[in-house]
Amino acid sequence: MPELADLSALTAPLTRTDGVERWFDLGHDPSASIRLGDALAAVLSARAVTAVLHWEGEEEAVLAHVVAAAMRTRRVTVVQERGLLFTSADLPASSTVALVATRFTSTRTLTPVDAMMRERGHRLDCAITLHPPRLHLPAPPHGPAPDGH
């Protein structure tokens, strides 16, 4: 997406590698982390997001914190325990939320978070990942089949 075109430039000073693995160290350069948070906040604010979700973990929390601070909104952790998802806090009724993540993994994907938010009466608008830099949209909700079933 055009609004994420400069994301790689913003994440470069925060990226670390050992030659095989790549990760983000958002504490390495706090100013760069704040610039990244401001850029992501601009994208999410334009989408009318009212709360920021993130997975557990230090880098995930820092990323969501700088985004939520720039948006002046709440940050809520998505916790996965024994295959179940829950959040660290309740959200205001009918919230429009976004998930920010350094990356998705086989156990940390968008679909279960979307389902959890729908079950609670909220709307997951999108997710943004840093690796790869991408805006992810949830699948459209499943409505009744054409024959009503």
Side-chain angles (χ1 to χ4, degrees):
M1 299 205 69
E3 59 265 13
L4 297 180
D6 295 329
L7 199 55
S8 293
L10 292 170
T11 60
L14 303 168
T15 303
R16 301 288 170 262
T17 184
D18 61 8
V20 177
E21 244 184 274
R22 181 178 172 192
W23 68 94
F24 296 96
D25 181 356
L26 298 171
H28 175 73
D29 184 342
S31 295
S33 295
I34 290 169
R35 285 190 299 276
L36 175 62
D38 290 345
L40 296 179
V43 172
L44 297 179
S45 293
R47 299 182 65 85
V49 168
T50 60
V52 176
L53 302 178
H54 67 92
W55 293 105
E56 286 182 289
E58 181 180 336
E59 297 307 317
E60 306 299 325
V62 171
L63 176 62
H65 181 83
V66 295
V67 173
M71 294 176 68
R72 300 183 195 279
T73 192
R74 8 185 8 171
R75 170 184 68 86
V76 175
T77 308
V78 175
V79 179
Q80 187 172 16
E81 191 172 295
R82 296 184 179 145
L84 300 174
L85 291 182
F86 58 95
T87 56
S88 62
D90 291 330
L91 292 162
S94 302
S95 291
T96 298
V97 301
L99 176 69
V100 295
T102 56
R103 71 185 71 223
F104 284 149
T105 67
S106 61
T107 59
R108 291 182 169 188
T109 63
L110 186 61
T111 303
V113 176
D114 184 33
M116 176 179 59
M117 289 295 105
R118 286 177 199 266
E119 288 171 7
R120 295 178 179 190
H122 306 300
R123 183 175 77 80
L124 177 66
D125 178 74
C126 64
I128 295 179
T129 53
L130 301 182
H131 184 69
R134 185 166 164 216
L135 185 117
H136 306 262
L137 300 175
H142 299 292
D147 64 359
H149 294 98

